[in-house]
Structure formats: structure tokens, C-alpha cells
Amino acid sequence: MLLTAALLTALGCASAQQEWVKPGAARPSRVAVLPFENQTAALRAGQAASDLLVSELLATGAFAVMDPSEVADLLRRDNLDPADAARLPSAQRVGRLLQVSHVLQGSVTEYRYKPGLSETPAVGLTARLVEVTSGEVVWTASYARVGTSWFREDGLARVAQQVTHEMAAYLTGALGDARAR
């Protein structure tokens, strides 16, 4: 019985991930996280994901992260709408404007409760880190996770936080300093 419960719990927390880091990529000195593009029907899913990722990155202490409100203010001064991630110029141009070493941008590909006997939360995110001086992508990751609703109640926010935590851990482990490893 206990083995069956453990198996059902493990199956309920299915996840998929794809990660890549450029060999020899330099450690970021200061990162700006742009609002993620929302490719879902959920309102403000992109902003929620980028806010969670900022919190997770700051918690690692691996590198400096620009305050998201400062990012938004500087973009608005240049007549750019930070809420419309799909229409922002290149990460390299935005990075120069914000005077950061790297820009983190991405998209929310899934943010919903899957219908069924018990609605199960599902979150999918993709992200990429662009080095401003070269304009090259130095890190990228895609994560998808389905929460569980059998033995404990996972909410959408909890699953999103798990995904952003894993992304931040991989990014800081790949490009951060020893504190993040």
C-alpha cells in the first residue's frame, strides 16, 4: 500500500526539462529579468513567472539582479512597454539601455489547471540568458511540471515556484559562483 502511494505521488509530479549552457560562458555580473511573454490564456502569467524567477535568483546570492520596477521604469522612459514582452527590442539593445551584463527573458507556455476528475496544476516555462556585449545566448532552459492533486493539494503558484526554483538553481549552478553550487 505504501509503495502504491509513493508511486502515485511520483507519477503526479511529472516534469520535463531541457537545459543548455554555453561552454566557457562568463559569470553574469548584473542581470535584468524582463517580464516573460505570456503565451497562455491566464492573465499576468508572464509577470508572475518573471517575478518568481527574480525572487529565486536573489535567494541564491550568486549574482546581482536588477530591481524589476527599475527595469520597467527605464524601459518606459525609452517608450517601450515592459508588459508587452513580445514587442520589446533585442535583448542586447535592452541590456545596453539597462546597463547590465546579461538579460534574462522567456515565455510562459502553460499555466493552467488541467481538467479532469481532479484539476491538476500545470506550468511550462522557457528562458534564455543573453550576454549583452556579444548578443549571444549563453544559457537556456525549458521546464514543464504537472503538480499533484491526489494526496496533497498543489496549487498553480506552488508548481510555478517549483519550476522557477529549479531554473534558478540550474542557472546559478552553471554560471554563478561557488555559493550557488
Side-chain angles (χ1 to χ4, degrees), residues 4-18:
T4 303
L7 181 61
L8 286 173
T9 301
L11 291 174
C13 296
S15 66
Q17 61 193 51
Q18 180 76 31

Side-chain angles (χ1 to χ4, degrees), residues 61-80:
F63 36 78
V65 179
M66 190 173 183
D67 177 13
S69 61
E70 186 181 355
V71 170
D73 287 347
L74 289 170
L75 290 174
R76 282 190 198 100
R77 283 187 207 157
D78 213 41
N79 294 322
L80 299 169

Side-chain angles (χ1 to χ4, degrees), residues 133-150:
T133 54
S134 67
E136 290 184 327
V137 174
V138 295
W139 172 88
T140 186
S142 295
Y143 281 75
R145 180 181 285 267
V146 177
T148 179
S149 58
W150 289 92

